[in-house]
Amino acid sequence: MSVVRPAVALLLAGALAACAPVAPQPPAGAQLRLSSSGLDVAGTGLEVGFGRTQESATDTLRDILGSPAPPQRSVACAGVQTVRWAEEGLALHFARDAFVGWEAVPAPRPIPTASGLRAGGPAPGGAGLGPFERDGIRGLSGPDGEISRLWAGRDCPTGGVG
């Protein structure tokens, strides 16, 4: 009888582990889109939404973009850690282990919004020098008519990503 109990416990533990939810993995070649609620994996219905844990959000983006720079404490926002992907000009902000915002600046491989806005690209029609908002995403356009910065969620300016 004492041999049966451990065997049953082991069997039940294995069955429960098989039921644990697993985050869906993005397909090979997946592309990101900036959104007002986080980041979307284009054409898949998958989202890296605000509120996701730092580990989960970073792991998903690592699968798509490669490894980020090591996390750093935000200078602009107390209690916030920032994780950056310099080639994409992307910074994710985390507070208390939750994804709370992103920032995009001009870079070699900028990530666009669903409507095609991207840092370093032309400001949306009618947006003059200064701040603008489009589809819940905020931005700044410079004197050259190009977008110098986009962000959504908690605003923790990094002064550039790199």
Side-chain angles (χ1 to χ4, degrees):
M1 187 123 165
S2 62
V3 173
V4 174
R5 280 190 180 152
V8 170
L10 205 62
L11 183 62
L12 286 173
L16 289 174
C19 295
V22 176
Q25 294 298 308
Q31 304 223 343
L32 291 174
R33 297 289 177 260
L34 304 171
S35 81
S36 61
S37 59
L39 300 158
D40 293 329
V41 182
T44 67
L46 298 176
E47 168 186 70
V48 179
F50 294 141
R52 209 179 219 199
T53 66
Q54 182 170 343
E55 180 180 10
S56 175
T58 303
D59 285 351
T60 299
L61 267 62
R62 184 179 292 115
D63 289 344
I64 298 170
L65 303 175
S67 293
Q72 297 179 336
R73 287 190 179 144
S74 172
V75 175
C77 297
V80 171
Q81 263 200 339
T82 298
V83 178
R84 305 165 193 249
W85 282 264
E87 283 294 303
E88 291 76 14
L90 180 65
L92 302 188
H93 306 301
F94 297 92
R96 295 190 176 132
D97 194 40
F99 178 30
V100 296
W102 58 257
E103 174 185 20
V105 297
R109 296 186 319 213
I111 298 170
T113 66
S115 63
L117 290 179
R118 67 183 75 227
L129 175 64
F132 64 87
E133 186 171 332
R134 181 68 47 100
D135 302 324
I137 295 172
R138 293 166 287 168
L140 287 174
S141 56
D144 57 3
E146 291 187 353
I147 298 170
S148 59
R149 184 171 170 259
L150 292 169
W151 72 94
R154 186 162 178 190
D155 183 18
C156 294
T158 61
V161 178

